[in-house]
Amino acid sequence: MRSMLREGFLELDVNGEHRKVVARPADTLLHVLRERLGLTGAKPSCKNGDCGACTVLVDGWPIKSCLMLAVEAEGHLITTVEGLKNTPIQKSFVDNFAFQCGYCTSGFLMNCHALAQIHPQASYATMREWLQSNLCRCTSYEEITQAMENVLLKT
Amino acid sequence: MNTVGIGISIPKKESNDKVTGRAKYNTDHIRPELLHAWMVTSIYAHARIKSIDLAKAYKITGVRAIVTGDSCPILCGPAIEDWSPLARGKVRYFGEPIAVVVGDSEAIAKEAAGLVQVEYEPLPVVNSPAQAFQADSPKVHEDLAIYEIVQAGTIFPQPGTNILQHVKVKKGDLQKGWQESEVVVEASYSLPQANHIAMEPRNARAEIKPDGQVIIDSSTQGPFNIQKFISKYFKLDNSKVTVRAPLVGGGFGGKTTVHVEFIAYLASRAVGGRPVKLVESREQDMTSSPCMLGLQASIKLGAAKDGTLKAGEFTLITDVGAYCDSGSEMARGMAADCSGPYRLDNLHCDAYSVYTNHTFVTAFRSFSRLSSTFALERTMDKLAFALGMDPLELRKKNALRPGDTSPTMVRLNKNNFGNLEACLEKLKTLINWDEGVRVELGNGKVRAKGAACLWKTSSSSPNAHSSAIIIINDDGTLNLSVGAVEIGPGSKTCLAQILAEKLRMDVNKIHVIMEVDTSASPHHWKTVASMTNYMVGNAVLEAARDFIRQLKTIGGIVLKCPAEMLEVGSGRVYLREDPEIFVDIKEIGSGYQYPEGNAIGGQIIGRGNFIMPHLLPMDPSTGRGRLGPAWAVGAQAVEVEFNQRDFSYKIVRAATVMDAGKVLNPKGARGVVMGGMSMGLGYGSREAAKYSTGGQRENPQLRTYHLLRLGENPQYLVEFVETPDINGPYGMRGIAEHGIIGIPAALANALSAAAQADLDCPPLTPQAIWQACKGAGK
Ligand code: FES
Ligand code: FES
């Protein structure tokens, strides 16, 4: 049983690498990824589960890393935006001007990438349901929708 | 020739960094030596601070310092000095910073902040602009009379009241105007404060080096502004303050002022200058840092039977919250543009800023012109209804034209105004206006359209200036350095496009330096007011001319001819009459070496600057003057599908036609306009800062303060008219903010037509519409 207060070692699988980190039991996954591993792609914005800027993948599913404790992530495969390498969604975001300031982009990319993997033929309704968990203040969402639709397989 | 310059949709220069998580924002700098700060903020909207007890907080291991207002007895502000970075004596709004705790980690600082014991004596609150105006209302500032005015002649406070600013604009003969009016309409509006919600919350780091050099790293739109104010208020030489701004995660005006930077500086000073990082929580970003102003407006318009506007009276009362910041300036801007882009020869406008016990305000996309535009454009629709005239027709009939004058008597021409009629004409087709403003679909559903026009000039300081530097690399590519911050719209990419066009050179061979560092970058006023491409663009053009001149001088020596015979393009200096006789710029950019081995010249550095010409402060009694160089104009429309049974609605389409002068990057421009429209729809339909009867903020979270989400966006229709402004680079006009301006009004006009009720107080939630209909007996 881990002490509730003391820092201790955690072992995380992040972007295909096995990493050992020191963390407090109360630290969120977002905090540990950024502050301990230097993976600053996942962004803090509301830290309350409302905006999706901190989205990462846990075993392939999008999770808001501000709502997950780092200790809970042990034994799972974590992917952050730094782990996306030349994926179609990244290119599609660039081609479709799907970001301006880019602060929401990592979170959107993770969510979109997972959707393309899990539901490659997702309907508009499914896409909408998935992507509603992320906020963007700069764009109109039209560009993000287009970027997503361009990587989903046409049915 | 592979020339790529303006008019082409090249993706933003920093695109690859932004899709790989490599783009570094200010919060992304993580270093073990950083200390962390957390603010203690007020839980009352108005209260005397009786005592602050730090004993318990200091007991937490890892707390390095706690700073309260008493250790920093200064008053500051850009227009009037009414604000202390940490409250002293009393708090004037919910969320106001009272103290800042510095600790080894954010968790430690936050825990200790929770243990700082503040004893308050609550005071009665001023909870609305109307209340602020009442003679017997509590006073937010008892010391208004003794506050220092920074820019005399631009702000007119009335000591003994809550009135901080009163701007008057008078034009023509109002008496005569009313006599000529055959139809008169009058209405009042109330618009709430709202939040910027840049996705990156406001944050800053500060450190003081052993030699006294202050380094501030900030998520800011105005690094040079921070340098100016930190040096001014902490009595440092300007060059003793260095401010750095990396990529910024959204601004929308909210990052133009200096706020958390002061507090971060105080925090660092308290720990011997060690670097301290202060990041606001989302809740603090929404309550402690400045938000968007609220507005109470009354407008009376008179017209002849044929629709010609004859007279207008405007009373605009802005709720600037507890401190002035740029609130007084926004009131001036609204007054200067009060008529909208319509010819109104007889008008009076009284614009006020009043203090309330709400969060203080700062610039918001369009310098809050969306609020005054809402009131005006709703009144235009009411006038059209009273006249029995088509709303779009009424607007077209009164559209300002070259030769007319603005409310502050600036004579308009094609360059400083553009072509509003062409925008209206295009909009009409784009949104199928002629199919009818209101169509019953059966089933209790109605489709309705509403329109609004927009115009805005910037409120720039009359001496606002920008510069640019071009440096050549050994491989013949260029580095472009400017003082504008990249906050999202892709200005740096557009500036590279302007340079590429001027040098007729592939834009991919131009590198832009993303980070701004006040000790190394050329100056730029602030990245605001849609003025970046205009001001910095002109500086870039000047630098390009300087660069070309130097290339030709050395090219002439190499090609053995006078410089006048040469041209520059595609990375070469060549003979105008025979481009095959040339020298590559990379051969001469860092000095030219003769075949014999000796060399001449040296690295070529192009430099250019730009200062805003011909700006004139407004006359205090008539308003005559010129705030900005030019307006950008446009026309917008929104179409809704309204359910008469439950008052819900869907925003089906939203359209904008803007006179952009020249579109520099089509996809980029469309994106920026749509982004503005999206924000406008959010404000019109759901966003509002809600205060309790005690003035406490009730919805300071994204869970309770709703933004538009994906799938709620309508179909966007965006088109441009291109009437060049000869003073703008390649004819461009500043349009980065403008997409938002007319949208809340157009939405309200559409919904008012649909519900057949006057919807004059956003946000227009189904509940608000239901209440308005009930009030109207429907
Ligand atoms: S930061 Fe995690 S959802 Fe907003
Ligand atoms: S691009 Fe700025 S928040 Fe989405």
Side-chain angles (χ1 to χ4, degrees):
Chain A
M1 191 60 194
R2 208 181 292 277
S3 152
M4 289 309 288
L5 296 167
R6 302 279 282 282
E7 291 194 329
F9 274 111
L10 279 184
E11 296 189 28
L12 296 175
D13 277 295
V14 186
N15 299 334
E17 293 173 359
H18 194 74
R19 307 283 303 256
K20 248 184 158 173
V21 293
V22 177
R24 295 181 314 146
D27 283 339
T28 60
L29 178 59
L30 175 66
H31 179 85
V32 169
L33 288 172
R34 291 175 55 83
E35 304 279 333
R36 301 280 180 238
L37 297 176
L39 295 169
T40 55
K43 298 287 183 249
S45 181
C46 70
K47 294 190 180 171
N48 192 42
D50 300 328
C51 75
C54 62
T55 306
V56 301
L57 305 188
V58 176
D59 299 327
W61 288 83
I63 293 285
K64 288 166 176 166
S65 65
C66 70
L67 290 185
M68 186 175 192
L69 292 176
V71 288
E72 296 176 286
E74 268 192 329
H76 297 281
L77 298 177
I78 299 156
T79 312
T80 70
V81 69
E82 289 89 345
L84 294 189
K85 296 275 183 311
N86 301 315
T87 62
I89 193 69
Q90 287 166 292
K91 184 172 182 306
S92 192
F93 260 57
V94 175
D95 293 345
N96 289 287
F97 284 55
F99 52 87
Q100 290 179 30
C101 80
Y103 201 80
C104 70
T105 309
S106 308
F108 263 108
L109 283 170
M110 299 320 288
N111 202 352
C112 291
H113 180 70
L115 177 63
Q117 299 292 307
I118 295 167
H119 298 294
Q121 302 191 334
S123 64
Y124 176 79
T126 306
M127 175 184 76
R128 180 185 153 127
E129 198 183 328
W130 274 56
L131 300 190
Q132 280 210 333
S133 64
N134 294 54
L135 285 171
C136 174
R137 188 58 156 169
C138 300
T139 75
S140 69
Y141 297 119
E142 179 183 291
E143 306 91 325
I144 294 171
T145 307
Q146 194 61 52
M148 183 75 246
E149 278 176 346
N150 286 4
V151 304
L152 291 174
L153 302 176
K154 307 280 169 299
T155 43
Chain B
M1 188 168 75
N2 188 17
T3 299
V4 181
I6 62 166
I8 293 154
S9 295
I10 69 153
K12 282 180 245 324
K13 288 270 180 189
E14 71 283 13
S15 287
N16 283 329
D17 283 348
K18 285 184 173 171
V19 295
T20 53
R22 292 292 186 85
K24 288 283 178 208
Y25 301 82
N26 204 48
T27 46
D28 293 337
H29 292 267
I30 286 156
R31 306 194 321 245
E33 76 270 28
L34 280 176
L35 295 176
H36 299 261
W38 194 267
M39 299 187 299
V40 179
T41 60
S42 171
I43 55 168
Y44 286 100
H46 199 192
R48 210 162 294 292
I49 301 173
K50 290 175 73 180
S51 65
I52 304 176
D53 183 354
L54 307 176
K56 272 196 185 152
Y58 266 123
K59 290 217 173 85
I60 301 287
T61 314
V63 169
R64 299 297 159 209
I66 306 176
V67 190
T68 62
D70 288 337
S71 62
C72 169
I74 55 165
L75 280 175
C76 34
I80 183 169
E81 295 176 340
D82 62 355
W83 173 74
S84 168
L86 295 170
R88 281 185 294 135
K90 69 176 194 173
V91 286
R92 296 184 175 85
Y93 68 95
F94 173 86
E96 178 163 6
I98 296 172
V100 61
V101 181
V102 188
D104 291 347
S105 71
E106 193 180 88
I108 288 169
K110 193 173 176 177
E111 187 185 349
L115 295 172
V116 170
Q117 318 252 290
V118 184
E119 202 188 332
Y120 300 93
E121 178 196 326
L123 297 168
V125 299
V126 181
N127 212 3
S128 72
Q131 191 195 346
F133 238 84
Q134 290 159 9
D136 61 348
S137 78
K139 302 296 168 273
V140 180
H141 291 265
E142 293 86 355
D143 294 338
L144 189 50
I146 57 167
Y147 288 154
E148 199 75 40
I149 289 179
V150 182
Q151 301 236 321
T154 66
I155 178 167
F156 305 94
Q158 297 176 7
T161 73
N162 288 313
I163 300 170
L164 161 69
Q165 168 74 307
H166 181 189
V167 189
K168 293 174 217 153
V169 174
K170 290 182 180 157
K171 182 183 173 187
D173 181 346
L174 196 59
Q175 204 69 42
K176 183 170 145 261
W178 291 130
Q179 275 158 17
E180 290 171 9
S181 298
E182 291 163 297
V183 178
V184 174
V185 291
E186 196 172 356
S188 297
Y189 307 90
S190 153
L191 293 95
Q193 286 190 337
N195 287 110
H196 300 83
I197 318 280
M199 292 310 289
E200 180 194 19
R202 284 168 274 204
N203 69 88
R205 297 194 305 285
E207 106 175 76
I208 307 164
K209 296 272 172 115
D211 64 357
Q213 189 73 26
V214 176
I215 317 272
I216 309 273
D217 291 273
S218 174
S219 174
T220 179
Q221 297 173 248
F224 292 93
N225 208 35
I226 296 173
Q227 183 188 38
K228 180 170 143 189
F229 285 107
I230 295 278
S231 57
K232 175 175 175 184
Y233 289 112
F234 297 106
K235 306 206 168 13
L236 299 162
D237 288 339
N238 190 271
S239 62
K240 273 290 184 192
V241 180
T242 298
V243 182
R244 297 182 299 213
L247 292 171
V248 171
F252 317 113
K255 293 176 180 170
T256 53
T257 194
V258 191
H259 184 240
V260 287
E261 295 81 1
F262 276 118
I263 300 171
Y265 171 79
L266 292 172
S268 173
R269 200 174 68 172
V271 290
R274 290 173 67 185
V276 177
K277 180 174 182 174
L278 171 60
V279 183
E280 285 191 327
S281 68
R282 176 54 60 193
E283 292 77 6
Q284 290 168 341
D285 182 77
M286 293 176 72
T287 56
S288 302
S289 273
C291 64
M292 167 195 164
L293 58 68
L295 176 70
Q296 185 91 45
S298 309
I299 295 183
K300 187 174 164 190
L301 288 179
K305 275 210 181 93
D306 69 353
T308 310
L309 287 174
K310 293 291 178 187
E313 247 181 295
F314 305 81
T315 308
L316 308 170
I317 305 171
T318 58
D319 174 2
V320 301
Y323 299 101
C324 177
D325 197 79
S326 50
S328 57
E329 275 302 289
M330 287 188 277
R332 283 210 309 158
M334 282 182 181
D337 285 355
C338 66
S339 65
Y342 306 117
R343 183 173 169 166
L344 191 48
D345 290 338
N346 309 300
L347 67 84
H348 273 196
C349 174
D350 288 286
Y352 299 90
S353 304
V354 293
Y355 285 127
T356 63
N357 291 115
H358 292 165
T359 295
F360 73 113
V361 307
T362 194
F364 183 90
R365 191 176 204 154
S366 79
F367 216 43
S368 281
R369 221 66 113 242
L370 75 159
S371 309
S372 45
T373 301
F374 182 94
L376 174 72
E377 291 291 336
R378 282 291 299 129
T379 317
M380 286 297 280
D381 255 37
K382 290 176 204 221
L383 181 63
F385 186 76
L387 288 161
M389 208 171 155
D390 177 80
L392 217 50
E393 219 27 66
L394 176 69
R395 288 174 169 85
K396 210 171 133 200
K397 180 163 192 89
N398 291 289
L400 279 167
R401 294 173 183 87
D404 295 338
T405 53
S406 81
T408 65
M409 299 305 285
V410 177
R411 185 162 296 282
L412 304 177
N413 57 52
K414 251 182 152 162
N415 294 301
N416 68 15
F417 184 72
N419 192 341
L420 179 63
E421 284 172 280
C423 294
L424 279 163
E425 208 44 62
K426 251 191 162 168
L427 181 77
K428 201 170 168 183
T429 327
L430 195 61
I431 196 88
N432 296 328
W433 187 263
D434 288 338
E435 74 190 11
V437 165
R438 187 175 193 277
V439 182
E440 296 263 1
L441 300 176
N443 229 351
K445 291 204 171 142
V446 178
R447 250 186 199 236
K449 298 190 222 295
C453 290
L454 66 95
W455 78 329
K456 178 189 177 272
T457 180
S458 73
S459 296
S460 320
S461 9
N463 61 351
H465 69 106
S466 314
S467 327
I469 298 172
I470 304 163
I471 293 178
I472 188 162
N473 298 306
D474 283 351
D475 60 5
T477 61
L478 309 180
N479 297 340
L480 174 62
S481 175
V482 297
V485 180
E486 185 52 69
I487 56 175
S491 335
K492 298 242 178 177
T493 305
C494 283
L495 293 168
Q497 290 180 269
I498 289 170
L499 180 57
E501 186 74 22
K502 185 72 190 165
L503 298 175
R504 293 193 288 125
M505 164 174 187
D506 184 355
V507 69
N508 295 312
K509 296 212 164 109
I510 295 171
H511 309 290
V512 284
I513 297 160
M514 284 296 162
E515 178 170 304
V516 175
D517 177 333
T518 57
S519 66
S521 311
H523 185 93
H524 175 50
W525 172 52
K526 290 183 254 185
T527 303
V528 298
S530 311
M531 278 290 110
T532 308
N533 291 346
Y534 184 93
M535 292 179 64
V536 187
N538 274 319
V540 167
L541 284 178
E542 180 65 24
R545 283 189 284 269
D546 182 48
F547 190 75
I548 290 170
R549 219 162 18 237
Q550 297 176 56
L551 282 175
K552 283 183 180 174
T553 303
I554 190 151
I557 296 171
V558 176
L559 298 173
K560 302 187 174 70
C561 68
E564 296 75 55
M565 292 179 72
L566 300 174
E567 287 290 342
V568 173
S570 307
R572 294 170 170 185
V573 180
Y574 58 87
L575 218 51
R576 187 174 305 129
E577 62 172 45
D578 183 0
E580 286 311 304
I581 300 174
F582 68 90
V583 58
D584 226 286
I585 63 169
K586 68 174 175 229
E587 307 294 329
I588 58 175
S590 305
Y592 173 73
Q593 194 166 23
Y594 288 103
E596 305 82 63
N598 49 338
I600 55 161
Q603 188 181 30
I604 294 182
I605 300 172
R607 72 260 191 278
N609 55 36
F610 175 79
I611 193 158
M612 213 72 110
H614 299 145
L615 300 189
L616 273 184
M618 286 164 69
D619 178 90
S621 55
T622 62
R624 270 180 191 233
R626 186 187 181 119
L627 285 183
W631 285 264
V633 297
Q636 301 186 295
V638 172
E639 184 175 23
V640 295
E641 198 174 293
F642 178 70
N643 187 329
Q644 291 167 297
R645 292 199 188 122
D646 62 7
F647 303 89
S648 66
Y649 62 92
K650 187 172 147 50
I651 305 166
V652 187
R653 296 194 298 167
T656 296
V657 182
M658 197 100 74
D659 192 341
K662 172 76 195 168
V663 177
L664 300 178
N665 183 317
K667 269 195 185 178
R670 184 184 155 85
V672 166
V673 170
M674 289 194 301
M677 294 167 75
S678 174
M679 242 179 174
L681 291 172
Y683 183 69
S685 66
R686 65 202 69 190
E687 292 179 40
K690 289 193 186 131
Y691 293 97
S692 70
T693 47
Q696 276 120 339
R697 182 66 190 269
E698 289 182 321
N699 59 345
Q701 286 190 325
L702 295 177
R703 193 161 297 179
T704 43
Y705 182 100
H706 298 289
L707 305 185
L708 231 57
R709 288 186 184 261
L710 189 142
E712 294 177 303
N713 48 307
Q715 183 193 1
Y716 287 105
L717 308 162
V718 178
E719 285 195 15
F720 294 103
V721 167
E722 296 190 318
T723 315
D725 172 1
I726 46 171
N727 295 316
Y730 294 101
M732 61 80 55
R733 299 170 187 278
I735 57 161
E737 306 164 286
H738 295 54
I740 196 171
I741 299 177
I743 288 291
L747 174 69
N749 284 340
L751 285 168
S752 296
Q756 294 177 303
D758 280 324
L759 304 177
D760 295 339
C761 303
L764 300 175
T765 58
Q767 189 188 351
I769 301 172
W770 169 70
Q771 275 163 345
C773 289
K774 229 176 49 170
K778 294 208 173 73

